Structure formats: structure tokens, C-alpha cells
């Protein structure tokens, strides 16, 4: 008799990113759904990886990550946020940002612990909490500004609250934390045992002169935080699945206990290459401008359509409302848009556990101008 699995995630299907990307291929649609660039990454960086391989950097590096890469990241943090990070004890290189988030949550959650999640939420947060026996406590961001109602957060704190997950710049809405949000967060967590999981994979993708409010800037928050990053977003190489986590030594010590039995250590030549490439600061310092141009280019083109933009101040994404076009639920409309008009997007309801439907779709504008043009040529017809 074949054994049966009692599912740990009985209510979860395939992630919407895979669903929509598969549909995009099937219907030969332009894929503005899943967040990935369709333009080339730096050939200098790919050459550095080649070189690293050819020079023999092909065996395990230290389980916490290549020391030189961690050193360069510590220097970057010091430069950007004036915070001193110990490269030896406070940084671990991970196979992507998702893994960093998973490991951080797994490190802290005990069965029954509550974790505050703002919705719409990046799709891995809630399943990761649940896999660890935790209880997601859901708070909706206020549509359409997608700001945090901090009074509501205060009401939701209980003696079981183990952590708050924050994500700025925010996927899928493009909202960003302000200094006032930080003060609210400081007030809420001070004198508590609450951890912060900060998803900062879009750290550099911030627009209109706004400053990224990294948790790394605030010692009273950092002392209780796991801050997660992704190289995929910084260097246009989402398929590399490389990232890192920063946390104070005592927290990182426990994180590494989990990490060592899961992936243990990441791709060596890529780490050698990234350590070298990180020396060129302009590569990440100009990213905000680069993506802002794409956001603006897409925004201007979309003015010809019936879609209504919801402001995005960061990330790869912009939400558009289709209330002027259809009453369909988001999933149905997104599928029809893919099949009939040849443009794939992501229904924002997929980022809500209860599929809250505000008639908005998420568009990824991190694409070549010609891709955005071709997509809008089709969207004009909707
Ligand atoms: N967090 C957010 C908000 C994301 O959009 C993504 C997607 N890249 C990740 C985490 C995961 O990054 P990675 O691909 O490095 O796992
Ligand atoms: N982060 C990207 C997005 O939000 C893709 C992630 C994924 O495919 N899992 O679209």
C-alpha cells in the first residue's frame, strides 16, 4: 500500500507566479506577471563568475558565506546606513531572499506563536508561518494607499505575538515605509519580546527621491530583527537565487543552526564574483533611477488605456485598477487578459489569504521599453 501524506499545507495550491507564467507561455502572452527583468544582466558580472569557476572556486565555501563577500556587504551597510555590522557574526549568505525569510521564521516560531502579516503579502510569508505551526495574524493595508493602520496593529498584539513581518518597498503595491512608520513600529515593539522580520529585497528600487527606511538604520529595531535581501533584484539575476540575512549575533547564531542543515552553503563562484562586483557602488546606487524610468515609461503608455494607476514608489511593480473595464473577479479577469489580449499580470487577490478583491492587477514594469510598448498596444484594446 502506498503511504499517504497528511498535507502540511492543505489549503495551498501552486504559487500564482508559476500559474500566470505558465499561462503566459501557453497563450504566447507578454509576461508582466511574475517579477523578473527581460533585459540582460551585467556581462561583467557573468564574466566574473566564469573567471571564478575557471580559477577553481568550485568547492564549498564557508557555511555562513564567503568571508570576503560578507566583508563587502558589511562595508556596504556601513556606507548606506552608517551601521556597523560584524561580517563574521551578523551576516549569512543564503540561496535567495525567500530562503532567508523561511530560515528566519523557522528559527523563531514555536507552535501557536502569532506572527503579524500585512496584506496584500508576498506569497511565501503565510505558508512559512503555518509550516512552522505558527498562526498568521492578518492586517489589511488600507486600499488604495496601502498604508499601515498602526492603531489596528496595536489592537492585534497579544502575549502570543512572536513577530511582525514588514516589507518595504512593498510587493505587490509599491508602497514604502516612511520615518513615521518606523516611529510607530519602535513604539509598538519597545519593551516587548517581539521580533521583526524585514523583507528588504527591493532596498534600492525606490523612487521619487524617497529614502529606504532600512531596519539596519535603527539599532533599537535591529536588535530584534532578521533583515532579508536578494541579489536577484539588485543585479537583474533573479534566477541566480542568491541572497543574505543580517541579524545581531545572538539571533544569527540560531539562524545558522537551521541554515547548516538545510542548504549548508551557497554557490561558490557566484559568491566570489559578487564580492568583486560589489566594489562598484554605482551598480546599486543608480538602480532606483533606472527602475523609476521604467515605471514612468509604463505609466505614460498606460495613460492611453482604461486602467487606473495606483501610485508605486518602489519595487518592480505597479497596481492598476480595472473598475472602468470589468466587474469580474481579479483571477478571472487576469486569466481572460492573458488568453484574449495576450498580457499576463498577477491578480492582487492572490496576495490575500481570503482573496480580497479590489479589482486591481499587478503589472511588472521591470522590462525592456519595447516589451512595455507591445504590452500596452494590446492593453489599449481592453
Ligand atoms: N520578498 C519579496 C517581496 C519578493 O518580491 C521576492 C521575489 N523575488 C522575494 C522576497 C524573494 O527573493 P528571491 O528570489 O531572492 O528568493
Ligand atoms: N518575486 C517575484 C514576484 O513577486 C517572483 C517570485 C516567484 O516567482 N516566486 O513576482
Amino acid at each position: 500500500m502506498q503511504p499517504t501524506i497528511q498535507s502540511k499545507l492543505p489549503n495551498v495550491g501552486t504559487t500564482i507566479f508559476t500559474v500566470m507564467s505558465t499561462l503566459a507561455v501557453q497563450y504566447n502572452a507578454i509576461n508582466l506577471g511574475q517579477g523578473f527583468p527581460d533585459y540582460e544582466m551585467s556581462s561583467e558580472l557573468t564574466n566574473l563568475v566564469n573567471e571564478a569557476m575557471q580559477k577553481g572556486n568550485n568547492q564549498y565555501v564557508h557555511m555562513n558565506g564567503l568571508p570576503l563577500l560578507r566583508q563587502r556587504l558589511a562595508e556596504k551597510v556601513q556606507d548606506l546606513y552608517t551601521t556597523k555590522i560584524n561580517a563574521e557574526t551578523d551576516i549569512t549568505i543564503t540561496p535567495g531572499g525567500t530562503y532567508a525569510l523561511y530560515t528566519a521564521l523557522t528559527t523563531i516560531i514555536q507552535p501557536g506563536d502569532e506572527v503579524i502579516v500585512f496584506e496584500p503579502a508576498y506569497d511565501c510569508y503565510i505558508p512559512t508561518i503555518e509550516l512552522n505551526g505558527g498562526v498568521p495574524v492578518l492586517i489589511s493595508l488600507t486600499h488604495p494607499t496601502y498604508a499601515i493602520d498602526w492603531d489596528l496593529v496595536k489592537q492585534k498584539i497579544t502575549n502570543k505575538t512572536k513577530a511582525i513581518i514588514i516589507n518595504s518597498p512593498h510587493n505587490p503595491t509599491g508602497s514604502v515605509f516612511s520615518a513615521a512608520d518606523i516611529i510607530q513600529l519602535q513604539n509598538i515593539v519597545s519593551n516587548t519580546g517581539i521580533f521583526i522580520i524585514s523583507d528588504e529585497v527591493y532596498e534600492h528600487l525606490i523612487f521619487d527621491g524617497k529614502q529606504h527606511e532600512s531596519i539596519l538604520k535603527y539599532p533599537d529595531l535591529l536588535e530584534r530583527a532578521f533583515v532579508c535581501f536578494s541579489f536577484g533584484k539588485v543585479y537583474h539575476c533573479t534566477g541566480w537565487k542568491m541572497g543574505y540575512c543580517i541579524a545581531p549575533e545572538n539571533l544569527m547564531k540560531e539562524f545558522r543552526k537551521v541554515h547548516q542543515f538545510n542548504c549548508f552553503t551557497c554557490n561558490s563562484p557566484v559568491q566570489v564574483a559578487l564580492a568583486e562586483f560589489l566594489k562598484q557602488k554605482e551598480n546599486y546606487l543608480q538602480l532606483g533611477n533606472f527602475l523609476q524610468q521604467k515605471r514612468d515609461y509604463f505609466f505614460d503608455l498606460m495613460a492611453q488605456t482604461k486602467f487606473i494607476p495606483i501610485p508605486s514608489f518602489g519595487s518592480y511593480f505597479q497596481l492598476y485598477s480595472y473598475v472602468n473595464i470589468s466587474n469580474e473577479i481579479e483571477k478571472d479577469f487576469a486569466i481572460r487578459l492573458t488568453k484574449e489580449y495576450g498580457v499576463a499580470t498577477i491578480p492582487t487577490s492572490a496576495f490575500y489569504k481570503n482573496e480580497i478583491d479590489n479589482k486591481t492587477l499587478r503589472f511588472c514594469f521591470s522590462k525592456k521599453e519595447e516589451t512595455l510598448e507591445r504590452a500596452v498596444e494590446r492593453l489599449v484594446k481592453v
Side-chain angles (χ1 to χ4, degrees), residues 26-204:
Q26 195 181 342
Y27 287 90
N28 201 16
I30 298 168
N31 192 352
L32 303 188
Q34 194 177 25
F36 61 89
D38 69 343
Y39 43 89
E40 286 307 314
M41 65 172 297
S42 158
S43 57
E44 189 181 342
L45 181 50
T46 51
N47 287 340
L48 283 169
V49 178
N50 274 334
E51 210 177 285
M53 282 184 175
Q54 272 153 12
K55 284 189 178 157
N57 295 283
N58 299 306
Q59 309 309 327
Y60 294 133
V61 295
H62 192 278
M63 71 171 225
N64 299 330
L66 183 77
L68 183 61
L69 176 57
R70 286 186 277 140
Q71 187 52 46
R72 294 266 152 80
L73 288 169
E75 286 160 16
K76 178 181 171 185
V77 168
Q78 169 101 55
D79 267 11
L80 291 177
Y81 306 120
T82 66
T83 303
K84 217 171 160 37
I85 297 291
N86 184 327
E88 184 70 31
T89 55
D90 305 352
I91 306 180
T92 300
I93 307 298
T94 62
T98 313
Y99 175 102
L101 292 159
Y102 190 96
T103 306
L105 286 162
T106 302
T107 301
I108 60 171
I109 293 176
Q110 297 288 346
D113 282 349
E114 295 176 0
V115 179
I116 290 185
V117 178
F118 299 105
E119 288 192 312
Y122 185 59
D123 75 339
C124 71
Y125 304 159
I126 293 173
T128 303
I129 295 164
E130 291 177 341
L131 275 171
N132 283 291
V135 180
V137 174
L138 309 176
I139 299 180
S140 281
L141 299 173
T142 320
H143 173 78
T145 57
Y146 296 101
I148 294 177
D149 178 346
W150 288 105
D151 287 332
L152 197 54
V153 181
K154 282 179 205 147
Q155 289 166 31
K156 295 273 189 179
I157 302 279
T158 72
N159 57 9
K160 288 194 177 151
T161 309
K162 180 55 72 75
I164 302 177
I165 304 181
I166 58 170
N167 170 217
S168 178
H170 185 251
N171 180 4
T173 70
S175 65
V176 300
F177 255 56
S178 65
D181 287 313
I182 293 287
I183 292 169
Q184 294 277 8
L185 184 61
Q186 286 172 320
N187 289 339
I188 285 175
V189 298
S190 73
N191 299 317
T192 72
I194 298 173
F195 292 98
I196 295 167
I197 309 290
S198 188
D199 180 346
E200 303 191 13
V201 303
Y202 298 106
E203 139 192 58
H204 300 297

